[in-house]
Amino acid sequence: MNWGNDKMKKRKRFWPLALMLMIFLSACSSGTQENSGTDNSNGGTDESGKAITLTMMLSGNKASEGEDFELETLPRLVKEKFPNSKLEVQKLPDDQYNTSVRTKLAAGQGPDIFWIFPKNAAGGVNDLAKAGFAADLSDLTFWNDISQGAKEDMSYEGKPYGVAEGLDFLGVYYNKELLEQVGYTQFPKDWPSFLELCQKLQAAGVTPIAMGDKDPWMIQFGMYPIAANVVYPDEMDFDVKLQNGEKSLTDPKWIQTISKYKELYDKDYVVKNSLGIGSAQSAQLFIDGKAAMTFTGTWDYASMISKGAAEFTRGFASLPGNEPGQPVFVSAATSAGYALNAKSANLEAAKEVLNYLFDGESDLFKAFVEANSSISVYKDVELENELFKEVNDNYQQTGNSVYFSNQMWPAGVSDVMQSKFAEVIAGQKTTPEDVANAMETKFRELWKN
């Protein structure tokens, strides 16, 4: 799905991701089930006229600075719009969210509104819609204002089950002053040049890259951008062929992708003991000026620009996994977003909240746009963050972009990729071929044609 440019299809975010997800307080679940349908003319009351409580479940962390949109702004503005409604929101750490929300949904105690991912990603639309947990959102009022690609990536069997937060890029946040110290006023445009930059930073006593591999999903943040430049440029339908059994994850292009990422660790370009460092710690190393670069996505904007121990100018670029003379492909995908519980007693009220959130003109919509670091998929919303302009221009003008690979895999394949590559990081004898073989084995185990 190429927003604003339909040359190719994209998908969104895993990832992974470092993201926002919505959760209800467990104490509220019984109240959610007890309430009956909503009479919207009463501003968020049930049929008996009682005030209702809506619950949301998200993944992510509270904003480090300023008001948190999901935890504070959204409930406040929903209350102003619907005086008889109360919205209770809780965020869970990324690694806990998927398991928790699926367990609660399966038990009939899920939140009214929850975070959902595109396509086949863990906690994705294909899984949760097929299981009957996510509600059909076809009757929401704003679909004509959302890019077609974003809508399709959140659809199952032709019907939308989630509203994407936006479009996300995976890339490199970098410290412009540290790069300038070793002679770089422009970010490298190919893989050999990127390795040369890392070598010069290392020689100058600067840690080139901070990664928090203790949080295993971080491994995706380097792997998918390299794959976007190695696996797909000459074979954009690679994953379709993979699903059809015509291709394998042991393909030489995947071996090359894994080998390239391994090279960064073999040469000590990544901070030492990354397996003992979490994502928050690696972000701190970057904002404190102790590492020149880190790999993550647009969703991490707030933490990447937070004030640390060092003052410096940030840059953002695609990780150039390409060879010299080849174009840089952007790693871009539809973001995670909002879904509604198909079994919610407050389904109609929850739909009204989403219609209000995406009405294109309300104070809530304006607050959402201001707080959202993802690239908007809502019509006529201009790019908010100049930091992403260079990558966004490449994306919009060339169409050279690839979704995050895991969105075309069954949930579980990326977990195996992460765990096996962690063995590589740890210095075990695991080879790129071993990683690829494990990924392929898990794919075939899980994939159902």
Side-chain angles (χ1 to χ4, degrees):
M1 111 196 180
N2 217 328
W3 175 64
N5 184 334
D6 275 334
K7 291 179 185 173
M8 63 188 52
K9 269 225 163 171
K10 318 208 128 280
R11 91 74 337 233
K12 160 67 194 182
R13 154 167 154 103
F14 33 169
W15 18 244
L17 324 231
L19 291 86
M20 262 174 35
L21 292 85
M22 321 187 277
I23 178 166
F24 86 127
L25 299 171
S26 58
C28 304
S29 61
S30 59
T32 301
Q33 301 305 316
E34 291 168 4
N35 290 326
S36 57
T38 358
D39 176 358
N40 294 320
S41 63
N42 292 330
T45 57
D46 68 9
E47 291 175 350
S48 65
K50 292 181 180 179
I52 62 170
T53 296
L54 291 170
T55 56
M56 293 179 75
M57 186 177 211
L58 304 160
S59 101
N61 301 308
K62 187 178 187 297
S64 57
E65 298 177 4
E67 187 173 79
D68 186 282
F69 176 77
E70 294 84 24
L71 294 176
E72 298 168 292
T73 310
L74 181 58
R76 174 168 52 78
L77 293 180
V78 165
K79 184 69 174 177
E80 289 181 9
K81 174 69 173 178
F82 306 107
N84 292 318
S85 292
K86 180 181 180 182
L87 178 63
E88 294 184 342
V89 184
Q90 187 176 359
K91 288 185 178 180
L92 290 180
D94 295 343
D95 56 346
Q96 297 176 20
Y97 171 77
N98 281 337
T99 299
S100 180
V101 73
R102 208 180 196 292
T103 299
K104 292 180 183 298
L105 288 168
Q109 299 177 336
D112 299 301
I113 310 171
F114 60 93
W115 204 236
I116 196 166
F117 295 85
K119 295 187 177 180
N120 283 326
V125 166
N126 289 0
D127 173 25
L128 297 180
K130 185 177 181 180
F133 297 147
D136 178 0
L137 303 182
S138 299
D139 60 346
L140 295 183
T141 59
F142 50 79
W143 287 119
N144 288 341
D145 296 321
I146 301 289
S147 79
Q148 186 63 23
K151 182 180 178 181
E152 289 176 0
D153 285 352
M154 286 296 202
S155 294
Y156 175 71
E157 295 186 342
K159 297 178 180 180
Y161 288 86
V163 185
E165 187 185 29
L167 174 81
D168 279 312
F169 301 141
L170 266 172
V172 185
Y173 287 87
Y174 62 94
N175 182 320
K176 286 190 174 183
E177 282 77 10
L178 286 179
L179 266 63
E180 287 171 2
Q181 287 178 24
V182 294
Y184 286 78
T185 57
Q186 297 290 325
F187 200 79
K189 300 299 184 187
D190 58 60
W191 185 251
S193 300
F194 179 73
L195 294 179
E196 182 181 23
L197 166 62
C198 291
Q199 191 278 323
K200 288 183 177 179
L201 288 165
Q202 185 184 66
V206 176
T207 298
I209 304 163
M211 293 301 289
D213 295 322
K214 183 178 180 180
D215 292 326
W217 68 81
M218 292 284 289
I219 290 168
Q220 300 173 93
F221 298 173
M223 199 74 79
Y224 298 154
I226 297 174
N229 286 277
V230 174
V231 177
Y232 301 96
D234 296 326
E235 199 168 14
M236 293 301 292
D237 60 348
F238 181 92
D239 288 319
V240 174
K241 293 176 179 176
L242 177 68
Q243 294 168 358
N244 292 337
E246 301 168 40
K247 283 288 183 178
S248 166
L249 288 170
T250 60
D251 187 276
K253 291 188 287 190
W254 263 105
I255 302 296
Q256 184 184 2
T257 294
I258 299 165
S259 299
K260 281 187 169 183
Y261 198 29
K262 177 178 182 289
E263 189 172 5
L264 300 181
Y265 290 86
D266 289 346
K267 294 182 175 178
D268 293 326
Y269 293 155
V270 179
V271 64
K272 294 187 188 318
N273 189 33
S274 69
L275 289 174
I277 296 172
S279 55
Q281 291 170 284
S282 67
Q284 195 67 44
L285 289 172
F286 175 71
I287 67 173
D288 284 346
K290 295 180 179 178
M293 298 177 281
T294 189
F295 304 159
T296 184
T298 45
W299 59 87
D300 237 355
Y301 174 80
S303 62
M304 291 296 104
I305 65 167
S306 294
K307 183 174 176 59
E311 293 284 345
F312 62 92
T313 310
R314 273 72 166 171
F316 182 81
S318 292
L319 179 60
N322 54 305
E323 292 304 314
Q326 300 299 314
V328 177
F329 274 69
V330 179
S331 184
T334 303
S335 308
Y338 304 94
L340 302 183
N341 184 345
K343 297 181 174 61
S344 168
N346 300 315
L347 181 58
E348 294 307 313
K351 286 182 179 180
E352 285 304 303
V353 169
L354 290 189
N355 281 331
Y356 178 46
L357 175 57
F358 292 102
D359 70 357
E361 58 186 21
S362 66
D363 289 343
L364 180 57
F365 176 78
K366 292 172 185 175
F368 168 75
V369 170
E370 183 176 350
N372 184 16
S373 61
S374 299
I375 312 304
S376 180
V377 292
Y378 199 95
K379 76 172 185 180
D380 299 332
V381 175
E382 296 183 0
L383 182 70
E384 283 285 304
N385 299 316
E386 281 296 309
L387 185 62
F388 303 136
K389 185 179 188 308
E390 181 179 345
V391 175
N392 190 54
D393 285 349
N394 183 18
Y395 171 82
Q396 295 288 350
Q397 295 167 12
T398 70
N400 291 335
S401 61
V402 179
Y403 53 83
F404 306 155
S405 303
N406 68 323
Q407 297 199 324
M408 294 289 278
W409 301 340
V413 177
S414 59
D415 294 336
V416 169
M417 178 185 75
Q418 293 159 195
S419 62
K420 293 301 287 186
F421 193 80
E423 295 176 7
V424 173
I425 297 172
Q428 299 182 25
K429 294 181 179 179
T430 305
T431 65
E433 289 79 5
D434 293 333
V435 177
N437 282 326
M439 291 165 61
E440 171 66 13
T441 298
K442 179 57 70 172
F443 185 95
R444 294 303 159 200
E445 174 190 326
L446 298 175
W447 183 254
K448 304 291 186 288
N449 288 317

